[in-house]
Amino acid sequence: MKKIDFRNLHRDLGYFYIGLIVSFAFSGLLMNHREMWHPDKYTTETKAIEVKLPEKSQINDDFAKDLGKKLGIDDKMRRQMVKKDEFKISYENHDVEIDMRTGKGEIVSFIKTPIISQTMKLHKNTSNFWIYYSDIFALSLIIIALTGTIMIKAGKFSWKNRGWKLAVAGVVFPLLFLILFG
């Protein structure tokens, strides 16, 4: 039986997954800031509206769909909600926000940002194929990390002299963050 060459395994897995690693890292950066801006879409038009809304208890999916038709939105509705005196409807390519007290609001029309929106779907995809592929990817990242620890056998940059300290710091930092801010 041939001995496993961890350096080659580390290299080959790194080459094979480089696209996915960069895509996940890139879309992860964008997802971290999705509350500040919408990286996966950009606004093409904003239109002011004023409507008469019923009581909060009468607002439901059917009401939201009918209102969308009246507002000229021919788009698939994803969800609707009332939050902090604001009625929000999310469609595939539109967002509607209306103040519950005044009935004033706006319709925002947008389109998907090429490449960025597809990359961000990697984080949101729930198909069985993608889940299994992502599991294999996660295991491969573990292998890449572990084989990386044994690539330099001796010297001041080896696992024994320096690597373990950086690894401990890399584990402690997120734990401290979770304890202090979680």
Side-chain angles (χ1 to χ4, degrees):
M1 182 171 241
K2 187 176 177 182
K3 180 181 155 191
I4 295 176
D5 185 344
F6 289 114
R7 182 177 293 276
N8 289 342
L9 180 62
H10 178 88
R11 180 201 60 223
D12 292 347
L13 285 174
Y15 286 160
F16 183 78
Y17 285 114
I18 193 165
L20 197 53
I21 291 168
V22 171
S23 295
F24 264 15
F26 180 66
S27 64
L29 284 169
L30 296 172
M31 298 255 317
N32 284 343
H33 302 284
R34 67 187 175 274
E35 295 298 321
M36 292 177 249
W37 60 296
H38 297 288
D40 63 333
K41 60 186 178 182
Y42 62 93
T43 301
T44 58
E45 178 186 17
T46 302
K47 179 180 164 186
I49 57 171
E50 188 168 348
V51 297
K52 182 163 175 48
L53 294 175
E55 293 295 317
K56 182 178 174 181
S57 62
Q58 296 177 326
I59 293 179
N60 56 32
D61 283 355
D62 290 333
F63 174 80
K65 287 176 187 173
D66 289 342
L67 180 61
K69 287 177 187 170
K70 289 177 186 172
L71 294 172
I73 299 173
D74 184 24
D75 204 354
K76 182 182 174 196
M77 188 182 91
R78 295 189 308 192
R79 64 186 156 277
Q80 59 84 21
M81 71 173 125
V82 176
K83 186 175 182 182
K84 295 183 182 177
D85 290 329
E86 194 164 75
F87 178 41
K88 298 180 179 188
I89 312 172
S90 175
Y91 296 90
E92 289 286 324
N93 299 308
H94 299 84
D95 286 332
V96 176
E97 294 185 7
I98 305 169
D99 185 298
M100 289 291 293
R101 294 164 291 181
T102 65
K104 293 181 180 179
E106 65 181 13
I107 301 171
V108 178
S109 302
F110 56 86
I111 60 175
K112 301 286 184 187
T113 307
I115 300 171
I116 292 174
S117 65
Q118 289 88 353
T119 303
M120 290 182 70
K121 282 184 180 179
L122 293 174
H123 274 97
K124 301 173 186 177
N125 196 318
T126 58
S127 75
N128 283 339
F129 168 79
W130 191 252
I131 289 170
Y132 294 128
Y133 185 75
S134 295
D135 290 346
I136 294 166
F137 174 59
L139 292 170
S140 295
L141 286 176
I142 292 168
I143 292 168
I144 290 169
L146 294 176
T147 56
T149 66
I150 58 175
M151 287 178 56
I152 299 175
K153 303 260 187 257
K156 68 180 184 177
F157 299 113
S158 69
W159 174 259
K160 182 180 173 185
N161 290 325
R162 180 179 178 172
W164 73 270
K165 296 171 192 169
L166 291 171
V168 167
V171 170
V172 168
F173 181 76
L175 289 176
L176 282 175
F177 184 83
L178 286 173
I179 291 166
L180 296 174
F181 303 107

